[in-house]
Amino acid sequence: MSEATLPPLPSADRPDVAARLREALLAASFTADGLLELLGAPAYAALARSETVPALRATRGDTPLETLVRLFLLQQPVPHARVEDVLPVHACVESGWLTRAGGSGGDVAATVDVRPYGGSDGEDWFIVSDLGCAVGGAGGIGNRDEGVVLGVGGASTTLAGITVRTPVASALDLGTGSGIQALHAAQHATRVTATDLNPRALHITALTLALSGVPAADLREGSLFEPVRDDERFDLIVSNPPFVISPGARLTYRDGGMGGDDLCRSLVQQAGERLNVGGFAQFLANWQHEEGEDWQDRIRSWVPRGCDAWIVQREVQDVTQYAELWLRDAGDHRGDPQEYQARYDAWLDEFEARKVKAVGFGWITLRRTASAEPVITVEEWPHPVEQPLGDTVRAHFDRVDYLRGHDDAALLAGHFKLAPEIMQEQVGLPGAEDPEHVVLRQNRGMRRATKVDTVGAGFAGVCDGSLSAGRILDAIAQLVGEDPVLLRDRTPAQIRLLVEQGFLEPA
């Protein structure tokens, strides 16, 4: 199904109707909290797995909230009389939010999926998407046609969680989809620009913003940075692009249409010149692991000049796992077995031709810097983290600035304090006088763990900002009977690592 033959969308030129609809939804507690209370945790969680039976069972009554759940989340026709008690039906039908079935007294059906979404500061927002295309929606995963606009999935919430949320003058949401990133950006950016290759996505973004009570964004149609003027610069750029590495561009919402990981590479390389100094660009991306090449070297080569970068690989899949994941995402496994096999073959042919053995997924954050010596950090971290991570990301680059401006002598003269919620673990044989090694572990943010020697553990334990690092090391040297000069010589590297990873903070 092409974009031209998809069902018509509600009018984006009726903010008055969107405001009335929003008011009615809130009055009925059609919110994230309201849904959880109505459905209960098991049924609410089942929706996220595309299972609707528990929610159908939980909405057999005729309360306003049950009516709205069946209408917008479960996409069931609802008797006109029931809806009329909850929504301004005439205005919603006239502007395209609802459609009638069986005449004026028949059933009423939704034309789009409307999903309650809780903002980071407790805001009640609503994400609009095509029917059956909200992640965990009534249609679930499968048979997604070209041009459809999906709702909020795990990738969307991950990007929203890692985005730096400092107040800025201008933000760009590149490839906006249903508008979730633009919605978040509008809370801390004076001006929000949102782009998408799919005009239907721009229309739905306008609906999402209007129904969420958020000012309209500057919506522009085009691929990547094409809609952005040459002289435009931004303080924040975010993108959850169509990063899937696939043969062809069958599905607009996920397939970029460029060979291999070229779309993600192009996006990252072009972002640097679009940032103001100090501005951040944050992306989700896939990258190829090719035979005979270090993936870290590959991704480093993407970083544009004049930018610090922090790149975190969160997951790696071999080519068969990767192909199966995205074939299932499109519902191909439910169709003709021969067609499924042919498409699977095409994916493996593509990877074989490019000598790709695996595909990595992760986060890329750039920051435009005025320094002549940009710092690029590339790491693999598949372990659990604590979202939201926006403050953790910003703090990482603050520490980059600090370490870049402090040589070993300056570090020894500096004052440090232990970061909050750091725990120490001692590992060794039971009854041994001394541990084999000591581990410092974070309970917040990236939740890192790092080994330190006894000097490093002792040093971190007494860092409260009152004494310089040098004076603390002198005291430790006296306690352990070590030459203070030698201890000062060998310890800055460990201090630098503890600061870099966020265990110690400059006081």
Side-chain angles (χ1 to χ4, degrees), residues 303-326:
V303 178
R305 285 187 176 184
C307 287
D308 295 322
W310 185 19
I311 299 163
V312 182
Q313 180 167 273
R314 295 287 290 158
E315 184 179 2
V316 180
Q317 292 182 309
D318 67 46
V319 292
T320 59
Q321 292 173 314
Y322 188 80
E324 291 163 14
L325 169 67
W326 294 109

Side-chain angles (χ1 to χ4, degrees), residues 179-201:
I180 179 61
Q181 308 306 330
L183 194 55
H184 277 284
Q187 308 309 300
H188 62 103
T190 303
R191 176 173 57 89
V192 177
T193 301
T195 72
D196 206 289
L197 180 64
N198 183 0
R200 191 175 181 87

Side-chain angles (χ1 to χ4, degrees), residues 259-338:
D261 53 17
D262 284 353
L263 183 137
C264 291
R265 175 185 55 79
S266 297
L267 178 60
V268 173
Q269 289 181 336
Q270 295 174 25
E273 62 186 9
R274 304 294 186 178
L275 286 173
N276 290 319
V277 173
F280 287 92
Q282 298 186 261
F283 315 104
L284 301 184
N286 275 163
W287 44 81
Q288 297 173 168
H289 287 227
E290 296 187 2
E291 295 177 11
E293 179 187 53
D294 187 322
W295 73 269
Q296 294 197 5
D297 292 339
R298 181 182 191 84
I299 202 77
R300 281 177 183 274
S301 71
W302 294 6
V303 178
R305 285 187 176 184
C307 287
D308 295 322
W310 185 19
I311 299 163
V312 182
Q313 180 167 273
R314 295 287 290 158
E315 184 179 2
V316 180
Q317 292 182 309
D318 67 46
V319 292
T320 59
Q321 292 173 314
Y322 188 80
E324 291 163 14
L325 169 67
W326 294 109
L327 287 167
R328 288 193 177 98
D329 171 81
D332 292 326
H333 64 302
R334 298 179 179 176
D336 183 344
Q338 290 186 331

Side-chain angles (χ1 to χ4, degrees), residues 3-4 9 147 149 176-177 195-206 219-222 252:
E3 197 278 332
L9 294 170
V149 179
T176 187
T195 72
D196 206 289
L197 180 64
N198 183 0
R200 191 175 181 87
L202 296 176
H203 191 136
I204 282 183
T205 290
L219 304 177
R220 305 181 192 177
E221 182 181 344
T252 305

Side-chain angles (χ1 to χ4, degrees), residues 308-502:
D308 295 322
W310 185 19
I311 299 163
V312 182
Q313 180 167 273
R314 295 287 290 158
E315 184 179 2
V316 180
Q317 292 182 309
D318 67 46
V319 292
T320 59
Q321 292 173 314
Y322 188 80
E324 291 163 14
L325 169 67
W326 294 109
L327 287 167
R328 288 193 177 98
D329 171 81
D332 292 326
H333 64 302
R334 298 179 179 176
D336 183 344
Q338 290 186 331
E339 186 176 354
Y340 174 78
Q341 182 176 340
R343 284 181 170 160
Y344 200 148
D345 270 333
W347 283 67
L348 297 185
D349 286 343
E350 179 85 2
F351 286 134
E352 185 176 334
R354 294 180 176 276
K355 298 183 178 180
V356 177
K357 58 184 180 180
V359 177
F361 166 80
W363 318 324
I364 299 176
T365 300
L366 308 177
R367 185 190 59 170
R368 188 80 182 178
T369 179
S371 172
E373 299 179 357
V375 174
I376 301 174
T377 303
V378 183
E379 63 176 317
E380 186 164 15
W381 190 254
H383 311 294
V385 298
E386 183 191 43
Q387 286 274 35
L389 276 171
D391 288 344
T392 299
V393 173
R394 179 188 49 76
H396 168 88
F397 288 93
D398 289 345
R399 295 193 299 271
V400 165
D401 284 339
Y402 178 86
L403 293 173
R404 183 162 44 204
H406 288 73
D407 59 16
D408 287 355
L411 278 183
L412 292 174
H415 293 239
F416 301 94
K417 58 183 179 181
L418 193 66
E421 297 195 39
I422 302 294
M423 302 298 292
Q424 176 178 304
E425 300 173 1
Q426 297 189 163
V427 181
L429 294 174
E433 185 175 346
D434 296 311
E436 292 179 17
H437 60 264
V438 178
V439 175
L440 299 182
R441 189 178 299 277
Q442 300 168 347
N443 285 326
R444 303 292 302 274
M446 292 294 285
R447 294 180 172 169
R448 297 186 187 277
T450 189
K451 289 182 182 180
V452 292
D453 60 20
T454 53
V455 170
F459 177 86
V462 297
C463 279
D464 60 5
S466 61
L467 297 176
S468 70
R471 290 189 61 186
I472 293 174
L473 290 178
D474 289 343
I476 291 175
Q478 187 173 5
L479 283 173
V480 300
E482 189 168 340
D483 186 334
V485 175
L486 294 177
L487 193 60
R488 279 174 172 255
D489 283 344
R490 69 177 176 85
T491 306
Q494 192 167 191
I495 297 175
R496 191 172 294 275
L497 179 64
L498 292 174
V499 173
E500 179 184 335
Q501 295 191 343

